[in-house]
Amino acid sequence: MTASAETTSAQPVVESARARQPRSSSTSPSRSVGSAASTAKQASSTFVHISEQPFTLQNWYKHISWLNVTLIIVIPVIGCTSAVFTPLQSKTAILAFVYYVLTGLGITAGYHRLWSHRAYSARLPLRILLAAFGGGAVEGSIRWWSAGHRVHHRFTDTEKDPYSVRKGLLYSHIGWMVFLHNPKKSGRVDITDLNADPVVRWQHKNYILVLLTMGFLFPMFVAGLGWGDWKGGLLWAGIVRLTVVHHATFCVNSLAHWLGDQPFDDRRSPRDHFLTAIVTFGEGYHNFHHEFPSDYRNALKWYQYDPTKWLIWLLKKIGLAYDLKTFSQNAIQQGIVQQKQKKLDKWRARLNWGVPLEQLPVMEFEEYQEQAKTRALVLIAGVVHDVTNFIEQHPGGKALIQSGIGKDATAVFNGGVYDHSNAAHNLLATMRVGVIRGGMEVEVWKMAQRENKESTIKSDSNNANIVRAGSQATRIQAPIQGAGAA
């Protein structure tokens, strides 16, 4: 369809270009060849792929991938409608469910984790079975499916992502298969390993045969020869079953990029959610998968639903699978910590930690004492605080806090009278109005900072200072012993 559209669009341009060329009997053959090549180049440069053209009443049908529409919409609609009027026998229902599981796992354990990501290796009998059952899901050949999936991982959420959720949830679910794409805008990936696999090559070459046999004929013949339910086998175990498998797989492209948490990285759309995992045979822990794609697991915890992981592990035990790949626990924990820290940084940025010390105005001690006559200023560890609005709320009473106004209350605040809590230091930081120039308790604070390496000021991902509990600027690690309230 695409090739035909390209030829049709280019031909008029070539003919009109030729018509404009001046005719001359003296034109040399070499000049004619060069002119023709130039004309062809011009025609190519003016061609606009159908996907780049607006929808109109005259060209809408050219935008559609009719083969895909037939396989994922027309046949399922007709088959599911017919199934409503076809009695579902118990044996056929069991067959439909079992074949749903087998073809679904053919995609997740075969197409996805084995061939797309090489998360493990499989013996020849297992590769043949996975290729057969995966073909029964009617989602394309291994080569086509895996190449597209590698493009998706390499270009996630970009224009080159074949099923980017940024283009809409419905588009990522099914729309990307309905409409034609400009192949020049497709991403490129290495599939030499797929081309070297004889099972992949054979299935790709004979995919129509595999599709018809495993998608429709196999379940029909099992039900027909087994208990005489030919029609039920075709409709229920064939078409209805593949429709459910289709949308289960499609949910990995859509729902897994839209619903859930992002415990490993939030720069891209993949998310983890148990509901998606249930629908997709364990593929719902998608944030983990995009961070560690060659890990044969999608779910880390033993209680998380990932039947594909359990199947691969079991296949290893019986010798059909080997070389199961896993990322180191250290790398996984690093991702978790970094993402938690990123979330903490965002949370921290929303809180009031007081004016940073380096942004406070510097005043002389005498100036501080003078200003303290008109407002309630208290000096603690070289930092001046305005406690005017806090005097009435002070848990220790007004007298104690008033006794420190205009004075150096570092000793009093840090254990001379009462060793204040972490919350008290945080609250005090929101009342900062200045710092004292030179000497005084600033030097004491600096010395305490040097002695306590853990209190060194650090910055988060937003370049804001991280204030750890117990390392606030007003806290002196070795409390100064005072004689009592001033």
Side-chain angles (χ1 to χ4, degrees):
M1 185 60 152
T2 305
S4 176
E6 290 175 357
T7 303
T8 303
S9 301
Q11 280 178 342
V13 179
V14 175
E15 292 300 326
S16 62
R18 287 176 178 171
R20 289 193 296 269
Q21 291 178 4
R23 298 182 179 275
S24 173
S25 58
S26 61
T27 302
S28 66
S30 60
R31 181 175 297 180
S32 299
V33 172
S35 178
S38 176
T39 302
K41 185 176 181 181
Q42 290 176 4
S44 177
S45 64
T46 58
F47 169 71
V48 179
H49 190 269
I50 186 65
S51 63
E52 308 298 320
Q53 302 175 30
F55 273 83
T56 66
L57 290 175
Q58 291 73 34
N59 75 357
W60 67 269
Y61 63 93
K62 295 181 181 180
H63 287 266
I64 307 300
S65 175
W66 290 107
L67 175 60
N68 286 345
V69 168
T70 300
L71 292 173
I72 65 176
I73 296 179
V74 176
I75 290 177
V77 168
I78 295 175
C80 291
T81 302
S82 301
V84 173
F85 303 99
T86 303
L88 176 60
Q89 297 183 24
S90 57
K91 292 181 180 179
T92 304
I94 294 172
L95 170 64
F97 176 76
V98 171
Y99 201 46
Y100 157 73
V101 173
L102 291 175
T103 52
L105 291 172
I107 294 294
T108 59
Y111 278 40
H112 188 210
R113 302 193 197 184
L114 174 60
W115 281 297
S116 293
H117 296 295
R118 295 175 290 180
Y120 68 100
S121 299
R123 307 293 180 191
L124 181 59
L126 177 58
R127 298 210 314 276
I128 292 173
L129 284 174
L130 290 174
F133 289 133
V138 190
E139 295 185 13
S141 70
I142 297 167
R143 185 177 182 275
W144 176 85
W145 199 103
S146 299
H149 191 72
R150 289 181 184 181
V151 172
H152 165 65
H153 270 262
R154 182 179 179 185
F155 300 102
T156 304
D157 297 339
T158 69
E159 280 298 317
K160 291 186 177 182
D161 183 348
Y163 28 89
S164 172
V165 77
R166 304 296 188 203
K167 297 178 182 179
L169 186 65
L170 186 60
Y171 179 88
S172 64
H173 188 78
I174 196 172
W176 69 278
M177 289 176 287
V178 172
F179 302 107
L180 293 172
H181 304 272
N182 187 346
K184 292 184 178 180
K185 290 190 173 182
S186 299
R188 296 290 185 265
V189 291
D190 180 10
I191 59 169
T192 53
D193 59 305
L194 299 176
N195 294 333
D197 189 328
V199 174
V200 174
R201 291 201 308 271
W202 188 93
Q203 196 230 36
H204 184 73
K205 181 179 180 180
N206 300 279
Y207 181 67
I208 298 300
L209 174 63
V210 174
L211 179 156
L212 293 173
T213 302
M214 298 304 297
F216 304 100
L217 298 179
F218 177 75
M220 182 180 72
F221 272 85
V222 170
L225 296 175
W227 50 91
D229 189 13
W230 295 89
K231 186 177 181 182
L234 174 62
L235 294 177
W236 286 104
I239 298 175
V240 173
R241 180 270 318 163
L242 76 80
T243 302
V244 177
V245 172
H246 278 173
H247 291 278
T249 305
F250 300 167
C251 280
V252 180
N253 303 333
S254 57
L255 205 60
H257 286 257
W258 180 74
L259 175 67
D261 301 320
Q262 296 176 299
F264 299 94
D265 189 18
D266 62 359
R267 293 176 301 163
R268 290 178 286 270
S269 61
R271 297 171 180 273
D272 288 358
H273 201 283
F274 77 96
L275 285 178
T276 315
I278 291 174
V279 173
T280 61
F281 296 94
E283 304 281 23
Y285 299 100
H286 214 51
N287 192 251
F288 172 84
H289 172 62
H290 267 255
E291 284 298 293
F292 311 101
S294 61
D295 197 309
Y296 86 96
R297 307 163 297 176
N298 260 209
L300 282 176
K301 307 293 178 59
W302 66 269
Y303 55 82
Q304 292 175 320
Y305 184 76
D306 187 359
T308 304
K309 174 185 72 174
W310 303 332
L311 173 65
I312 295 170
W313 180 86
L314 181 61
L315 290 170
K316 178 188 176 184
K317 292 299 180 182
I318 62 177
L320 289 175
Y322 61 98
D323 191 24
L324 276 58
K325 296 181 177 65
T326 60
F327 272 80
S328 71
Q329 191 63 19
N330 184 72
I332 293 171
Q333 292 297 321
Q334 283 176 327
I336 294 174
V337 169
Q338 288 170 334
Q339 183 62 9
K340 284 184 175 180
Q341 186 62 59
K342 191 174 182 179
K343 292 179 179 179
L344 283 174
D345 291 345
K346 291 180 180 179
W347 187 8
R348 182 185 297 107
R350 296 194 295 267
L351 303 178
N352 178 16
W353 298 93
V355 180
L357 294 178
E358 62 271 16
Q359 296 179 18
L360 291 171
V362 178
M363 62 176 69
E364 303 293 340
F365 184 70
E366 292 75 12
E367 182 183 357
Y368 154 69
Q369 289 180 312
E370 186 64 26
Q371 290 189 24
K373 294 177 181 179
T374 58
R375 55 177 177 158
L377 299 181
V378 175
L379 176 64
I380 300 176
V383 185
V384 180
H385 306 82
D386 187 343
V387 297
T388 303
N389 298 325
F390 185 68
I391 292 177
E392 296 293 334
Q393 305 172 31
H394 185 235
K398 294 189 294 185
L400 185 60
I401 194 170
Q402 286 175 335
S403 68
I405 294 176
K407 301 174 183 177
D408 187 338
T410 304
V412 175
F413 193 76
N414 282 280
V417 171
Y418 179 67
D419 190 8
H420 283 74
S421 67
N422 185 66
H425 283 273
N426 288 336
L427 179 61
L428 187 63
T430 65
M431 305 176 192
R432 299 170 180 165
V433 294
V435 292
I436 298 299
R437 184 190 303 279
M440 304 306 297
E441 295 299 338
V442 174
E443 297 304 322
V444 176
W445 170 66
K446 287 181 178 179
M447 180 177 66
Q449 293 293 310
R450 287 195 297 269
E451 293 175 353
N452 178 23
K453 296 180 181 179
E454 294 301 320
S455 67
T456 302
I457 296 177
K458 300 183 184 299
S459 298
D460 62 18
S461 59
N462 297 316
N463 205 31
N465 290 341
I466 299 176
V467 182
R468 305 295 186 195
S471 64
Q472 296 91 337
T474 52
R475 185 182 292 277
I476 302 302
Q477 296 305 118
I480 301 173
Q481 299 298 318

